[in-house]
Amino acid sequence: MDLWYTENHTDDVQFSIKVDRQLCTHQSEFQRIDIFESKEFGRILTLDGYLMVTEKDEYIYHEMITHVPLATNPDIKKVLVVGGGDGGTVRELCRYNHIEKIDMVEIDEMVVSVCKEFLPKLACSLDDKRVTIYYEDGMRFVRNAPDSQYDLIIVDSTDPFGVGEGLFTKEFYGNCFRALTDDGILVNQHESTFYDSYANSMKRAHSRIKEFFSTALVYQAHIPTYPSGHWLFGFASKKYDPRTDLKADWWNSLGLVTQYYNTILHTGCFAIPNNVRNTLRETYK
Ligand code: SAM
C-alpha cells in the first residue's frame, strides 16, 4: 500500500510526497498539526495541511531568513522572531555568540511542543538561555512592543490567511518599523510570484512594507518543497542596503558552516529575474 501526502499548490496543481507513516496529528486551538515520516524528505511538518518544513530542505529557508540580515549588520544584538514555532530560525540565530537576546512570539504552543518532540534537529536551540518564547498573537505582541526595541525582526509566519493573516497587514508592518532601532532590519517570508494567488499576496505585502521603509527589497531562494520551488524573502531597513553593506570578511571570519548561504550568494540572491521585477513594478502603478 502506498501512502502519499498531497498539497494543492493551486486548484489545478498538486504536489505529493510518498510517506512511510504519520507520526502525530493534533488539532490545536488554532490549526491542525501533522508530522509525517518520508524516505525522500525525512520528517515533514504540515499545518492545516500546508507543508511548513521538511528535514531535507529546511536549511535553505532558515539560513536565508537569518544569515542575510546578520551578514549585513554585525551589531545585531536584540532579535524578535514572529512565528517560527519549529525552531529552525532560532537555531540559526543561536549560532551567533554576539546576539544577546532572542524573543520569539508564536501563537500556537502546541507547534513548539510537537516540534521539540518530533523535529529536534530544528527545535534544538529553543531552550538556549538567550531565548524567551511568548505564546500570543505576533500582531498584538508587536503592537504593544516598546519603541526601538529590536535590531532585527524576522517574520517566520504561515501564509497570509488564517492565523497568519494579521502578519501581512499595514498595521503590523508599521508597528515593526516603530519597534525597530534606527538601523533596524525587517526580514519576512514573502511568498512567491509564480502562481497568481501567491503573487497577489506578495505584491500587497511588498507595497505595504515600502510605505514605511526607505529600503524594501526582495531576495530569492530555491526551496524544492514550496509552491513552484521559487521563494522570496523581504528585506526592509531604515539604514542598510544589503547589496552594498554586506560585511563579507567579517561574516566569513566567524567560520559558520552553512549548506546554502554564502557571501557570494548574498549579493546574487538580490538579482531577481524579470518576471519578479515586473510583478513588483506593478505594485507601484
Ligand atoms: N517556514 C514556514 C513556511 O513558511 O512554510 C513557516 C514555519 S513556522 C512553523 C510558522 C509559524 O507561524 C507557525 O508555527 C504558526 O503557528 C505561526 N503563526 C502564524 N500566525 C501567527 C501569529 N499571528 N502570531 C504568531 N505566530 C503565528
Side-chain angles (χ1 to χ4, degrees):
M1 183 182 70
D2 284 350
L3 282 177
W4 291 82
Y5 158 76
T6 295
E7 179 181 334
N8 285 357
H9 282 182
T10 75
D11 289 344
D12 302 303
V13 178
Q14 291 190 325
F15 175 76
S16 295
I17 300 174
K18 191 172 173 185
V19 295
D20 293 334
R21 62 197 174 116
Q22 186 175 29
L23 295 175
C24 80
T25 181
H26 294 289
Q27 180 65 50
S28 76
E29 190 188 333
F30 304 100
Q31 54 211 342
R32 178 178 161 164
I33 305 166
D34 292 278
I35 304 267
F36 301 96
E37 179 93 57
S38 75
K39 195 179 267 171
E40 186 63 49
F41 284 96
R43 293 188 174 179
I44 300 166
L45 166 70
T46 69
L47 296 180
D48 282 340
Y50 292 98
L51 188 147
M52 292 291 121
V53 291
T54 81
E55 285 183 322
K56 184 167 180 168
D57 67 354
E58 58 85 10
Y59 66 91
I60 305 172
Y61 178 95
H62 293 120
E63 288 184 11
M64 289 302 279
I65 210 166
T66 52
H67 301 309
V68 172
L70 264 299
T72 302
N73 175 12
D75 287 326
I76 290 173
K77 299 219 165 53
K78 293 182 180 169
V79 184
L80 173 66
V81 178
V82 182
D86 53 73
T89 297
V90 165
R91 178 195 66 200
E92 291 303 308
L93 289 169
C94 284
R95 301 175 73 192
Y96 292 87
N97 293 331
H98 70 278
I99 292 184
E100 293 167 359
K101 173 183 156 81
I102 303 167
D103 290 342
M104 183 176 108
V105 55
E106 162 61 58
I107 204 165
D108 196 342
E109 188 165 5
M110 200 181 275
V111 173
V112 173
S113 61
V114 162
C115 292
K116 279 186 171 175
E117 182 174 356
F118 294 102
L119 294 172
K121 286 181 202 156
L122 284 97
C124 53
S125 300
L126 288 174
D127 293 326
D128 187 289
K129 61 180 186 321
R130 293 168 291 173
V131 178
T132 308
I133 306 181
Y134 299 86
Y135 291 110
E136 62 177 272
D137 183 355
M139 188 169 167
R140 209 176 52 203
F141 185 90
V142 176
R143 187 187 293 145
N144 296 327
D147 293 357
S148 308
Q149 186 72 359
Y150 297 105
D151 304 308
L152 169 65
I153 297 178
I154 297 180
V155 188
D156 183 1
S157 65
T158 43
D159 294 326
F161 41 78
V163 282
E165 200 168 345
L167 306 181
F168 291 79
T169 58
K170 195 171 158 184
E171 186 208 328
F172 175 70
Y173 297 132
N175 282 323
C176 287
F177 183 87
R178 191 186 47 70
L180 282 166
T181 50
D182 287 343
D183 59 356
I185 297 173
L186 172 70
V187 171
N188 62 325
Q189 80 90 353
H190 215 316
E191 306 288 305
S192 172
T193 53
F194 191 78
Y195 295 121
D196 286 348
S197 51
Y198 293 87
N200 291 333
S201 49
M202 179 272 191
K203 275 193 276 189
R204 253 195 322 271
H206 188 72
S207 64
R208 287 169 181 165
I209 292 171
K210 188 98 189 163
E211 284 183 43
F212 296 100
F213 291 87
S214 53
T215 300
L217 302 165
V218 298
Y219 60 98
Q220 59 184 355
H222 169 237
I223 304 182
T225 53
Y226 282 5
S228 85
H230 177 250
W231 211 248
L232 296 168
F233 298 90
F235 184 108
S237 174
K238 302 182 181 184
K239 176 177 169 188
Y240 294 105
D241 184 322
R243 297 164 299 187
T244 48
D245 289 317
L246 165 66
K247 309 294 183 300
D249 291 345
W250 171 79
W251 193 85
N252 287 315
S253 76
L254 298 176
L256 297 177
V257 176
T258 45
Q259 296 179 74
Y260 191 86
Y261 175 83
N262 60 53
T263 51
I264 298 169
L265 179 88
H266 178 111
T267 315
C269 69
F270 287 92
I272 53 174
N274 280 354
N275 58 351
V276 179
R277 286 170 73 95
N278 292 339
T279 305
L280 287 180
R281 214 170 283 135
E282 284 169 30
T283 311
Y284 310 113
K285 272 185 185 163

